[in-house]
Amino acid sequence: MDELADALPFVTGLTASGGECTIYDAFLCELFALVKQAGKHTLVDTNGQRLFSDMPALLAAMDAASLDVKTTDPAEHLALTGTPVDNVLQNLDLLATTGKLFEVRTVIVPERLSNRRTVTDVARRLAQYPHVRYKLIRFRPHGVKGAWAEMKTPDDVFMQDLVALAKGEGMNVVEVV
């Protein structure tokens, strides 16, 4: 809190992120308690690999979460991350039903991922939660190495098609970044 003291008067809250901040769940519980005592909001930015159902204290301590959903296709997710997609989807559902889901983000990589499937799956799951924002992020190869460096940034037509798809499934708030 000493390190945050100078910034706290100028912010509305604290977002914990990083590689995967939930690996420090006990620390976050303590930090978030202090941040809330200072009258600020708390948010966790997560890839969703650690189950919030296994971290009830963190779920209670945080105000909300931003969740990355890279793909809902099990084979793609395993190839991309080395882990099953199950935890991510369980977290999506839990965070939404508990009112703790602020936004879901999906990076759009048409040449590599089943983006239409992912957008459809996520939008269907979130349609009943009108306050949740769905952010579709254009893949940009800047600074990327290897095979991904040759992939193209999705154009406006493709991105707007995905926005229409999400809204057609019932999403209220869909943003393109």
Side-chain angles (χ1 to χ4, degrees):
M1 284 300 287
D2 289 342
E3 291 179 34
L4 299 173
D6 290 341
L8 282 179
F10 305 102
V11 298
T12 60
L14 176 78
T15 298
S17 64
E20 178 49 45
C21 65
T22 64
I23 62 175
Y24 305 106
D25 55 303
F27 168 78
L28 288 178
C29 289
E30 292 179 35
L31 177 62
F32 284 178
L34 296 171
V35 169
K36 286 185 176 188
Q37 284 177 5
K40 304 299 178 176
H41 295 283
T42 57
L43 187 131
V44 169
D45 183 338
T46 179
N47 65 26
Q49 289 301 311
R50 294 196 66 222
L51 288 170
F52 280 97
S53 59
D54 292 342
M55 301 178 288
L58 179 57
L59 186 63
M62 66 188 208
D63 291 315
S66 292
L67 177 68
D68 292 329
V69 178
K70 294 167 180 38
T71 177
T72 57
D73 180 275
E76 282 181 355
H77 196 275
L78 189 60
L80 189 63
T81 68
T83 61
V85 72
D86 302 344
N87 285 6
V88 177
L89 297 178
Q90 286 178 42
N91 279 326
L92 185 145
D93 293 338
L94 176 64
L95 291 167
T97 60
T98 58
K100 299 273 184 154
L101 188 58
F102 170 67
E103 76 178 6
V104 173
R105 298 176 304 233
T106 298
V107 177
I108 305 302
V109 191
E111 297 175 60
R112 180 69 180 233
L113 301 174
S114 301
N115 299 125
R116 291 185 63 78
R117 173 185 174 161
T118 299
V119 169
T120 299
D121 291 346
V122 169
R124 284 181 180 162
R125 283 180 126 100
L126 295 179
Q128 62 184 316
Y129 306 101
H131 65 282
V132 177
R133 174 172 62 181
Y134 192 15
K135 192 179 283 185
L136 304 177
I137 303 170
R138 294 174 200 262
F139 171 79
R140 293 172 178 90
H142 308 297
V144 176
K145 296 182 181 184
W148 288 71
E150 301 303 318
M151 293 183 198
K152 307 284 186 251
T153 298
D155 64 22
D156 290 340
V157 172
F158 188 78
M159 296 302 292
Q160 289 309 311
D161 181 49
L162 293 177
V163 168
L165 180 63
K167 288 187 174 189
E169 293 294 338
M171 285 299 302
N172 285 340
V173 183
V174 184
E175 297 180 12
V176 173
V177 180

